[in-house]
C-alpha cells in the first residue's frame, strides 16, 4: 500500500499540480476540508504566487462575498482605500481577520504597484452576499444595477424609478433578520414586495442584455463586468430569499443549491476574463454531489464545482486538500485504514498526490472514510478519488492565534 502511495506523490509546488493536468485549466480550484485555519491559507498563497509568476494566472477568487470583494479588487489594482479598511469591509465570514488573507492582499498590492493593468493581479469573491445565519438585502445589487442603467439608457426603458425600487425594498433589517434562517415564517422572501422585486430584477437584467451593443461601447470593461455582477447577485439573492420563506421539506436543499448556483455563475464570469485560481471548501468545488447534515436533516446538492465542470470540462480542474492533524480542534492522528492515515505514515509534511492514479493503484482496497470529531472539519471522501484531479496533503495543522 505504501508503495502505491509513493508512486503517486510529488513535492508540494505549483509545477507538481500542473503536471497532474493534461493542459492548463481556465479555472484551477483548490479546496480545503475546513475553514478557520491559517496553514491551508498560507499554502494557498504560496501556490498562487507560483501560479502567477510561472503559469500565467492573474486572478484569485475565494469563498467570500462577491460584492464586498470589489473593495479588495479596487485596493490591489489601484491602491484605493487602506489595507485595514479593506480587511474589515472587503470580506464576508470574518475572513478579513485571518493573517494569511491579510498577507495575500498586501502581497497582491505590492506586486501590482507600478504595473500596467494587463499585468496586474485581480481579486474576486465568488460567494453570494450570504452568511450562515442570514442573507443580505438585495438593495445594494439592485440599486447599483438600476443606477448603472439609468445613467446610460433612455429613462423610458427603465421598468421602475429609483424611488419605487426603494419603496419596495423597505428596511434592510427585514431582509437580514437571522430568525428567518430557522423559521421560514419570519422571512419576507415570498411577500408581495419580494415578488414584485423579482420581476423588476428580471426586467433590469433583460434591459442590460438587450442594450449590450450600446453599453459595451459606452462603458469601461470593468464597469460592464460589475453591472453584470449586480444583475446576477440581485436575481440570485431574491431567489435565495424566496426559498428562505419556503416551508417544504426541501427548503435547506434548495438554499444550498441556490448558493452554489450563485457561486458557479460568478466562477464562469471569472473564467471569461482568463485563467484563475479558485479557493473554497472542498464541498463547494468537488465534481461529486455535496452532502451536509443540517438541523432539519441531511441535504444533498450539486456543488459550484460540479456545475462549472459540466460546462467547462477539462478547463476546470479540482485539487482537494486533506489534513492529518488539527490537534487544537480535537483532530488527532488519523486511523491507519483511512486515506489520511496512509498519507500520515509518510515522513514529509506536504505532498501533491495524483488522485486518479492513486485510485487505480488502490483498486478495491479503498481506504475508509475518516470520522470527524469536529463539525467544522469534513474529511476527504475516498469514494471521490477518481473524480478529483489531485490532492494536497498537510500532515499537521498548527494553532495560529489571530489578532
Amino acid at each position: 500500500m505504501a508503495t502505491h502511495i509513493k508512486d503517486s506523490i510529488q513535492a508540494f509546488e505549483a509545477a507538481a499540480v500542473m503536471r497532474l493536468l493534461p493542459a492548463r485549466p481556465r479555472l484551477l480550484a483548490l479546496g480545503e476540508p475546513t475553514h478557520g485555519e491559517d496553514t491551508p491559507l498560507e499554502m494557498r498563497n504560496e501556490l498562487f504566487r507560483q501560479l502567477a509568476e510561472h503559469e500565467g494566472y492573474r486572478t484569485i477568487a475565494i469563498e467570500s462575498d462577491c460584492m464586498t470583494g470589489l473593495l479588495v479588487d479596487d485596493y490591489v489594482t489601484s491602491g484605493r482605500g487602506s489595507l485595514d479598511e479593506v480587511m474589515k469591509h472587503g470580506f464576508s465570514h470574518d475572513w478579513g481577520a485571518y493573517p494569511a488573507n491579510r498577507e495575500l492582499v498586501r502581497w497582491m498590492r505590492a506586486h501590482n504597484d507600478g504595473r500596467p493593468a494587463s499585468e496586474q493581479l485581480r481579486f474576486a469573491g465568488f460567494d453570494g452576499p450570504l452568511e450562515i445565519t442570514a442573507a443580505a438585502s438585495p438593495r445594494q445589487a439592485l440599486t447599483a444595477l438600476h443606477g448603472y442603467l439609468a445613467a446610460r439608457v433612455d429613462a423610458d426603458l427603465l421598468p421602475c424609478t429609483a424611488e419605487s425600487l426603494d419603496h419596495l425594498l423597505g428596511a434592510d433589517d427585514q431582509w437580514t433578520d437571522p430568525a428567518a434562517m430557522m423559521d421560514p415564517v419570519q422571512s419576507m422572501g415570498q411577500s408581495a414586495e419580494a415578488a414584485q422585486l423579482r420581476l423588476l430584477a428580471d426586467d433590469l437584467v433583460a434591459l442590460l442584455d438587450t442594450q449590450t451593443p450600446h453599453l459595451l461601447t459606452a462603458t469601461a470593461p470593468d464597469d460592464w463586468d460589475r453591472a453584470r455582477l449586480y444583475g446576477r447577485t440581485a436575481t440570485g439573492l431574491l431567489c435565495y430569499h424566496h426559498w428562505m420563506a419556503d416551508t417544504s421539506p426541501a427548503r435547506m436543499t434548495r438554499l444550498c443549491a441556490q448558493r452554489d448556483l450563485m457561486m458557479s455563475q460568478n466562477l464562469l464570469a471569472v473564467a471569461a476574463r482568463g485563467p484563475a485560481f479558485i479557493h473554497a471548501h472542498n464541498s463547494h468545488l468537488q465534481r461529486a454531489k455535496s452532502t451536509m447534515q443540517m438541523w432539519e436533516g441531511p441535504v444533498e446538492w450539486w456543488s459550484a464545482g460540479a456545475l462549472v465542470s459540466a460546462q467547462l470540462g477539462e478547463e476546470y480542474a479540482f485539487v482537494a486538500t486533506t489534513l492529518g492533524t488539527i490537534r487544537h480542534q480535537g483532530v488527532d492522528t488519523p486511523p491507519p485504514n483511512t486515506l489520511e492515515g496512509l498519507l500520515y505514515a509518510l515522513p514529509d509534511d506536504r505532498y501533491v498526490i495524483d488522485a486518479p492514479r492513486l485510485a487505480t493503484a488502490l483498486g478495491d482496497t479503498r481506504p475508509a472514510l475518516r470520522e470527524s470529531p469536529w463539525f467544522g472539519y469534513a474529511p476527504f471522501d475516498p469514494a471521490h478519488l477518481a473524480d478529483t484531479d489531485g490532492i494536497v496533503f498537510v500532515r499537521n495543522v498548527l494553532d495560529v492565534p489571530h489578532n
Side-chain angles (χ1 to χ4, degrees), residues 53 71 125 133 217 228 230:
E53 292 167 358
L71 299 175
T133 56
T217 59
R228 297 176 70 196
Y230 301 150

Side-chain angles (χ1 to χ4, degrees), residues 262-282:
M262 294 173 70
M263 287 182 168
S264 71
Q265 292 170 340
N266 287 330
L267 286 177
L268 289 170
V270 167
R273 292 198 316 212
F277 180 52
I278 314 301
H279 189 255
H281 196 281
N282 287 331

Side-chain angles (χ1 to χ4, degrees), residues 186-237:
Q186 303 300 315
S187 172
M188 69 166 294
Q190 294 187 18
S191 65
E193 293 84 357
Q196 184 63 26
L197 286 168
R198 290 187 77 182
L199 292 174
L200 290 174
D202 287 344
D203 287 343
L204 288 167
V205 171
L207 181 58
L208 183 71
D209 291 341
T210 59
Q211 293 294 308
T212 296
H214 161 63
L215 294 171
L216 284 176
T217 59
T219 303
D222 279 355
D223 291 339
W224 166 250
D225 285 342
R226 291 188 177 195
R228 297 176 70 196
L229 171 62
Y230 301 150
R232 293 193 304 274
T233 306
T235 56
L237 262 179

Side-chain angles (χ1 to χ4, degrees), residues 204-347:
L204 288 167
V205 171
L207 181 58
L208 183 71
D209 291 341
T210 59
Q211 293 294 308
T212 296
H214 161 63
L215 294 171
L216 284 176
T217 59
T219 303
D222 279 355
D223 291 339
W224 166 250
D225 285 342
R226 291 188 177 195
R228 297 176 70 196
L229 171 62
Y230 301 150
R232 293 193 304 274
T233 306
T235 56
L237 262 179
L238 285 164
C239 183
Y240 191 90
H241 279 287
H242 177 85
W243 292 123
M244 283 189 74
D246 181 37
T247 57
S248 79
R251 176 176 183 261
M252 290 309 302
T253 297
R254 285 170 168 152
L255 288 175
C256 290
Q258 176 60 23
R259 180 187 179 193
D260 273 68
L261 176 61
M262 294 173 70
M263 287 182 168
S264 71
Q265 292 170 340
N266 287 330
L267 286 177
L268 289 170
V270 167
R273 292 198 316 212
F277 180 52
I278 314 301
H279 189 255
H281 196 281
N282 287 331
S283 64
H284 292 303
L285 300 177
Q286 64 189 26
R287 293 186 180 92
K289 266 193 170 181
S290 296
T291 60
M292 182 184 294
Q293 183 66 38
M294 306 291 284
W295 60 88
E296 296 180 354
V299 296
E300 183 179 76
W301 73 99
W302 289 109
S303 73
L307 297 173
V308 169
S309 181
Q311 294 203 43
L312 294 186
E314 288 189 351
E315 288 198 292
Y316 177 78
F318 168 54
V319 177
T321 298
T322 193
L323 308 172
T325 72
I326 321 174
R327 298 193 193 279
H328 55 280
Q329 297 286 5
V331 182
D332 289 313
T333 303
N337 64 330
T338 63
L339 176 66
E340 290 84 0
L342 296 173
L343 297 172
Y344 192 81
L346 299 173

